[in-house]
Amino acid sequence: MATATLTKVGNSMAVLLPKALRQEAAIDQDTPLRLASPRKGVVVITSMLDDEEDRLARLRRVEARIAARRNKIKPWPEGLTADDLIAQAKEERHRDFLAL
């Protein structure tokens, strides 16, 4: 759970949201927010990105990130275990070290 304090901004007050919380909530500086106070002492901040266009735009961004990561991932070699791959990597590092 994150904590924050109010900061005076002109005639208003602001709450600064920590980066980790913003990332967890998937909101950024352009995300419209809905503020509500259901009872005294409680403030609820909700993202308003619930319409179909916003969901579609977010889905496209996520798909693009997945595709970019997929291009960086090498396919798993058939017939090899994780132990085999680790042994190969160690052997390559050893050869590189000896080449120095």
Side-chain angles (χ1 to χ4, degrees):
M1 172 186 264
T3 61
T5 57
L6 288 173
T7 303
K8 185 141 176 78
V9 178
N11 290 330
S12 299
M13 300 295 281
V15 175
L16 301 177
L17 302 176
K19 182 178 181 179
L21 180 65
R22 291 190 322 266
Q23 288 175 334
E24 184 179 327
I27 59 175
D28 59 25
Q29 67 182 18
D30 299 324
T31 305
L33 302 173
R34 179 181 302 121
L35 305 175
S37 180
R39 64 180 186 271
K40 186 175 183 176
V42 175
V43 176
V44 178
I45 302 172
T46 309
S47 169
M48 292 177 47
L49 295 177
D50 285 337
D51 68 355
E52 190 173 326
E53 285 182 28
D54 288 329
R55 282 191 301 247
L56 186 57
R58 286 184 292 164
L59 180 60
R60 286 186 178 134
R61 285 194 305 267
V62 168
E63 286 176 336
R65 284 198 320 255
I66 291 170
R69 288 181 186 161
R70 186 177 295 139
N71 293 335
K72 294 178 183 177
I73 297 174
K74 296 178 185 176
W76 193 275
E78 286 191 37
L80 294 179
T81 66
D83 289 334
D84 296 333
L85 294 175
I86 292 169
Q88 285 179 0
K90 286 181 179 179
E91 189 176 310
E92 287 175 16
R93 285 193 199 126
H94 182 71
R95 273 187 262 131
D96 290 344
F97 179 74
L98 292 177
L100 295 175

